[in-house]
Amino acid sequence: MATFLYKLGRLSFRRRHVVALIWVALLTLAGVGAAGAPAAGNSSFSIPGTEAQKAFDLLEQRFPGTSADGATARVVFKAPSGEKMTDPGNNATVQDTVKELSDGSEVVRVTDPYQAKAVSKDGTIAYAQVSYKVSGMELDDAAKDALKDSAQDARKAGLTVEIGGDALQAVPHTGSSEVIGIAVAAVVLVITFGSLVAAGLPLLTALIGVGIGVSAITGLASALDLGTTTSTLAMMIGLAVGIDYALFIVSRYRAELAEGREREEAAGRAVGTAGSAVVFAGLTVVIALVGLSVVNIPMLTKMGIAAAGTVAIAVLIALTMIPALLGYAGRKVKPMGEKGKLPGRAKKEQDRPAKPNLGTRWASFVVRRPLAVLLLGVIGLGAAAVPATSLELGLPDDGSQPTSTTQRRAYDLLSEGFGPGFNGPLMVVVDAKNSDDPKAVFTETGDEIKGLKDVVTVTPAQPNKAGDTATITVIPGSKPSSVTTENLVHGIREAGADIKADTDAGVLVTGSTAMNIDVSEKLNDALVPYLVLVVGLAFLLLIVVFRSILVPLKAALGFLLSVMAALGAVVAVFQWGWLSGLMGVEQTGPVMSMMPIFMVGVVFGLAMDYEVFLVTRMREAYVHGEKPAQAVVTGFRHGARVVTAAAVIMMAVFAGFIGSSESMVKMIGFGLAIAVFFDAFIVRMAIVPAVLALLGRKAWWLPKWLDRALPNVDVEGEGLRTRTDRGDEDRELVRA
């Protein structure tokens, strides 16, 4: 592989005009496609195989035209102090609002609060429910404006009016902190390279790669049903890995220049060595992201595949466009260690004894005291992981919105007037098609549910036209994200199983609350198989890369430590509320159901980046004759500064998304940033060298039969070294 990539790097350097033109053409094509494509909608949230999804599908069949998956809005009214919603003036205002709302072309129906008994017991709060034909992201601006205007008219009459539901769902924005993250990355690159040109190359190529990836996602969003969050996460991961991959190749290029090689040769060797590490690091990220498909949640699968595609583009750009741009940069990208051209400065620095860099000094310290460093790192990460034992999973609702939003204020008003469980009603679907007496089954089901704990209200069954299927609305006594409500859902399903045995009628529980519970359970069940698949595949890949058993095993165990510590930090901030003000978390609650499995996938891929980049340098030194302990120090001397810069850049990019208005993006941004910190600075910079120092030569042991069976991918560039050394000898003979 090193030889092939070496040739690719030299070719890209020589044919830089063609390479640059190809990438610019791809960026233009993707941009034009995105500009002309329909706007991205809200990805349909289907969960195949769950009871809640089966109930939704049944409703589509038995209640045609009801738009079960259409947007809803709850317009909540509160009377002024000392008044009630039943007062004639307030009643007239509500009636006018209901009439105004009913005129919308996309409105299916609007409930009258007084006819639907949607007035609180104390008479101070009432609500009207608006149902639409299409989802919240598909609603046109005119329908949303009409909804807001009707509320504003009621406010002018003296009522407090707030709007909940998903009808006002907006495209999430990330805010200025994303730009700050990129700015921090630029500063780190300038400090690392000491050159604006060298620092600009990784940023430029990363932005081009993300531009192509995100534009492609935007262009295909409508056709493939991709949600808005998909492009945000692809941009987050694409920026981070794009900068890092380019950083490693540019850094290696400067090191090759420092050894006296010609620029084209240096570009070829940089791509042949660091590029090999980029390929395998990118493969681990792609495996982790594509592996999300085993969960069988379409939205998560699409997010993973889209992000994986962006990572693949970042790898290709690093291998081809970076050497092409290095050709354009010429001598503006200086060799590593060159400080400038002031008179006499170079000579003074040559005469001065070389001082070991920080990476060398740190590695020497770890090699001298490996056991102490190992214990301290493991204990520290273990302590950070403790909050993860209290992990509670759920999906966000209006209760997790900032208090400044009308959705959150509507949520709070409904809780005040009707109880906390009113914001998470359960819909029970009774399929009595195979029953002899459907009406009796409907009544029996309602009576069974009334006898369960934590049930506040059970509405009468609402049958369809055929009379063989009915819906029953159940209002729990607890809030949607509580364990008590989860137990109630399971209780209804257990009662439904008994009814099924007696009457042959099916009882299914659905609604957003039941869907959230099913999603959490599905993700929990999929976590272990996903870990086995992803870690297993990457373990095999790393055996090929490092030609060792213990090094990949150590990499996998270190990853588990860092991801558990990161989950602990997420629980502490978003569930317990530690530093919540600093992170902009206005409402604590359960951790996003998708967070653990998504974090496992992404963090594993990113963790293997640092493992590959750092340990391949150690492996390279070891196979060239250095002792194991000295190889660790050599690896840190060449790679520690660059890995540190890469980690800081990745943290800055991820942290930039903490400013997002989307709670899922905010949580993932924080989780990935803290996970990179734990993995890069504690696992890879402390635990890894400590373990390798303790293992010595055993770290690189591989059974002979396995060594013969494995393909030789030559990540260290041994074949490349032999090739170029032979070329140097030939040139010496020609000169002689």
Side-chain angles (χ1 to χ4, degrees), residues 694-731:
L694 288 171
L695 291 175
R697 295 186 182 277
K698 296 177 183 177
W700 308 107
W701 171 81
L702 186 69
K704 292 182 179 179
W705 64 267
L706 185 57
D707 188 33
R708 290 191 297 269
L710 291 177
N712 184 11
V713 295
D714 189 22
V715 177
E716 300 84 17
E718 181 62 27
L720 184 60
R721 177 183 291 263
T722 303
R723 173 192 179 93
T724 53
D725 288 348
R726 186 167 57 247
D728 292 340
E729 291 175 4
D730 292 342
R731 283 190 292 272

Side-chain angles (χ1 to χ4, degrees), residues 31-237:
V32 171
N42 189 35
S43 180
S44 57
F45 193 75
S46 62
I47 314 295
T50 61
E51 180 172 316
Q53 186 63 49
K54 291 176 182 176
F56 270 125
D57 295 341
L58 184 64
L59 286 173
E60 291 288 342
Q61 296 174 12
R62 305 288 174 84
F63 292 82
T66 56
S67 300
D69 59 347
T72 59
R74 278 179 171 176
V75 182
V76 187
F77 307 90
K78 184 175 183 180
S81 179
E83 298 182 18
K84 293 189 176 183
M85 291 303 305
T86 51
D87 293 345
N90 294 334
N91 187 314
T93 300
V94 172
Q95 295 294 344
D96 291 341
T97 303
V98 169
K99 183 179 179 181
E100 185 178 349
L101 288 169
S102 302
D103 294 336
S105 60
E106 295 183 320
V107 175
V108 176
R109 61 184 174 277
V110 181
T111 61
D112 184 327
Y114 304 101
Q115 294 180 4
K117 299 181 180 179
V119 181
S120 62
K121 290 182 179 179
D122 61 4
T124 60
I125 297 174
Y127 73 91
Q129 181 150 319
V130 187
S131 299
Y132 293 89
K133 298 176 183 178
V134 296
S135 67
M137 293 299 292
E138 294 172 322
L139 272 180
D140 58 33
D141 292 337
K144 293 181 180 181
D145 291 341
L147 181 61
K148 295 175 184 177
D149 292 343
S150 65
Q152 188 60 36
D153 292 341
R155 290 189 186 106
K156 291 178 181 178
L159 298 177
T160 299
V161 186
E162 305 295 346
I163 305 171
D166 59 353
L168 294 182
Q169 188 172 6
V171 176
H173 62 273
T174 55
S176 60
S177 55
E178 177 192 345
V179 179
I180 295 173
I182 297 176
V184 171
V187 172
V188 173
L189 286 169
V190 171
I191 294 173
T192 302
F193 290 130
S195 164
L196 288 175
V197 174
L201 294 182
L203 277 176
L204 176 62
T205 54
L207 290 173
I208 290 174
V210 167
I212 294 172
V214 172
S215 296
I217 291 170
T218 304
L220 297 172
S222 179
L224 299 181
D225 192 25
L226 303 177
T228 53
T229 305
T230 303
S231 59
T232 304
L233 295 176
M235 177 169 62
M236 180 193 303
I237 297 169

